[in-house]
Amino acid sequence: MMPKARILRTFLAVLLAPLAAYALAAASPKPMFDYRYSYENYRIWSDRPIPGEITAVLDDVTRRLRTSTLHQRETPVEIFFCNEPWRLWLYGRAFSTRLGGAADVWLTRQVFIRASDIPANRIHTPNGGPLADAAQRPLSYFIAHEITHNDVSRRFGRTVMLRYPEWLLEGYADYVGKAGDFDFEDNHALFTAGAGALDRDRSGLYREFHLKVAYLLDKKGWTLEQVFANPPDEEELDARLRAQRPHMYQFAPAVD
């Protein structure tokens, strides 16, 4: 009869082998993408030919990233276009084909973007239907959004996903990705009215989180460092926003 310790080791080996294979494949995606393109500090890989219009898309990504106090233009950025759904499922780390994009903040700091129409500067939605808030979320938005996650990881550590609230991480990425294309007063009014578009759980959008970050940075005058050093409790932040009136912003203190 096989000893229990040997049985356990065999079981663990069988269990861990697929995980090890996945980790190795996920950490080394470049051989799986046949097409490559370099432009300024961007390194692009794709499973389909890369149109020349990618440069205009990346110029707009750069414009959006200028709104971030964290982004360093000299830092190389690696972006992978996953036109085949299985690639997004594998490399997006979420085991989903419905992602707009993903950033590997833990290990490689690479960015993965779903199937896209690069000349039109837009992503393809999972079901082929219209994209919510499409005017504010072109392809360049999704790329800048994911790069911002990696910038946050570089500044505040690879474990940011464990240490900071979702409203802050996704709200700041949305804040940078939209590069000012966000009407605070209109979104605040929708939030206080309980509109579905400003409810993350109902809409799937980050407008609610963006509103909270914009409130702290643009209305309260906090620096990003201050926000990350002491993120307010989300329920308390919700209460502040519901109690606040537009005419009151100009009288708000610079720092709480």
Side-chain angles (χ1 to χ4, degrees):
M1 179 179 293
M2 185 181 295
K4 290 183 178 180
R6 185 176 176 185
I7 294 175
L8 180 60
R9 287 196 298 269
T10 301
F11 173 77
L12 289 175
V14 171
L15 180 65
L16 294 176
L19 295 177
Y22 167 76
L24 180 62
S28 307
K30 294 176 185 178
M32 301 301 295
F33 291 79
D34 292 336
Y35 301 94
R36 303 179 184 183
Y37 194 97
S38 293
Y39 179 68
E40 296 184 349
N41 63 315
Y42 301 103
R43 306 293 177 266
I44 311 298
W45 283 263
S46 179
D47 51 356
R48 294 183 185 173
I50 303 170
E53 290 88 348
I54 189 64
T55 58
V57 172
L58 295 174
D59 284 340
D60 194 48
V61 171
T62 298
R63 177 186 69 83
R64 294 168 187 272
L65 290 171
R66 290 195 187 106
T67 63
S68 173
T69 59
L70 300 178
H71 187 66
Q72 302 293 323
R73 283 285 290 125
E74 66 274 11
T75 301
V77 177
E78 296 185 341
I79 303 166
F80 294 78
F81 282 94
C82 303
N83 292 284
E84 295 295 334
W86 69 265
R87 296 178 191 270
L88 187 65
W89 185 93
L90 176 65
Y91 297 114
R93 312 296 201 269
F95 307 114
S96 171
T97 61
R98 302 186 64 81
L99 307 173
D104 179 10
V105 301
W106 298 94
L107 185 62
T108 66
R109 296 202 172 101
Q110 294 166 334
V111 168
F112 300 90
I113 300 295
R114 70 173 300 104
S116 302
D117 182 343
I118 291 175
N121 191 19
R122 65 180 178 85
I123 65 167
H124 294 307
T125 59
N127 60 8
L131 177 71
D133 286 356
Q136 291 78 39
R137 300 197 301 159
L139 168 60
S140 51
Y141 157 86
F142 285 93
I143 297 175
H145 181 114
E146 301 305 334
I147 292 173
T148 300
H149 282 313
N150 284 333
D151 290 340
V152 169
S153 170
R154 286 188 178 91
R155 175 60 186 84
F156 299 104
R158 295 180 186 272
T159 60
V160 289
M161 304 297 287
L162 300 177
R163 296 186 293 113
Y164 295 101
E166 183 186 23
W167 69 261
L168 175 54
L169 297 175
E170 295 296 353
Y172 185 62
D174 199 74
Y175 180 94
V176 174
K178 288 179 178 171
D181 190 6
F182 182 85
D183 189 306
F184 183 90
E185 281 69 29
D186 283 352
N187 280 282
H188 181 219
L190 290 171
F191 177 79
T192 56
L198 269 289
D199 185 315
R200 169 75 173 101
D201 294 333
R202 285 188 284 167
S203 69
L205 300 171
Y206 294 130
R207 287 167 65 176
E208 172 192 352
F209 298 161
H210 186 148
L211 181 73
K212 294 169 183 177
V213 169
Y215 170 70
L216 295 173
L217 296 180
D218 299 336
K219 303 302 181 182
K220 300 296 285 183
W222 291 25
T223 67
L224 190 66
E225 297 284 341
Q226 289 172 325
V227 177
F228 272 88
N230 188 28
D233 176 79
E234 188 171 13
E235 289 186 4
E236 177 186 350
L237 192 51
D238 287 349
R240 290 190 200 179
L241 281 166
R242 292 192 176 99
Q244 200 83 350
R245 295 292 180 267
H247 70 276
M248 297 170 63
Y249 293 127
Q250 59 183 319
F251 303 113
V255 180
D256 277 0

